[in-house]
Amino acid sequence: MTPFLLPHTLLGEGPHKVIAVHGWFADRSAYEPVLADLDTAAFQYAVVDLRGYGEAKDAVGAYTTSEGAADVLDLADRLGWERFSLVGHSMGGSVAQRVLATAPHRVRRLVGVSPVPASGLHLPPDQWELFASAAHDPENRRAIIDFTTGGTRPRAWLDRMVRRSVEVSDVKAFRAWLDSWAGDDFRTEVDGSPVAALAVTGALDPALSSDLMRDTWLRSYPQGELTELPGAGHYAMDEVPLELIRTVEDFLRAGGDVGAGADGEEAAGREEASGGHGGPGGRGDGAA
């Protein structure tokens, strides 16, 4: 695997280092709605572009979660970050868990925002076709975004999200990433990990829902937590940026600078739901 320096934005000078990984539909610009209000005194964030996206749009690669994890670790090495926390949105949540599987001693805390489980995501044939053809068909991208935000978002917002997705992603890479985040199952490599791990879901997202996280995330991580944001769908950074920042940074602060998995003050499997339970969330629906 050829080393590759992920393009990234550094924010803040805080002692707690955090690497943020985007999802399937966008590059690191997915995090733009939250950047201005991050606590840059307590944290230093590195927000990255994976291969096939943004400034790395033309980067050659296998476009897999394992390759993405290796790239994240290489970036941490270059930054001199021996230990760090991870935030991953959707597909980026799978990449973040791969980092944990590869180098568990280096991960302080783990946050998945509507994260794809380490078991991947089974899609029935009709949905697989919708997702696979979304690489070349912007209307299918729009349909997926609309579905995973509960059919409640304005047309102009959906159009903007689709335009960004098309502009910042390479078609071949976009399609290849799907095979990995949906099809790879590495749950045995993270099951039982003592790392403190938060899953944040949106109540309007019927795909990567709270119910799915109970069946996957909370089963894998004994110190797993679950928070549902009532006003969000799959794209919490756009939909409820301030609530997301508060939820994520409160969680990251809770552990202090301790060894991975040594956050003993957290009850195993504690669920912090801030609203009602999510909509029907089976393994047959997903977006990343």
Side-chain angles (χ1 to χ4, degrees), residues 19 21 65 68-73 84 86 94-107 186:
I19 298 177
V21 188
T65 58
D71 288 340
V72 167
L73 286 166
F84 50 88
L86 292 157
S94 181
V95 173
Q97 291 174 85
R98 280 282 198 185
V99 175
L100 175 64
T102 304
H105 60 289
R106 300 188 66 176
V107 179
F186 59 95

Side-chain angles (χ1 to χ4, degrees), residues 109 223 255 258 261-268:
R109 294 197 149 215
Q223 292 200 71
V258 295
D263 303 312
E265 77 280 4
E266 299 191 41

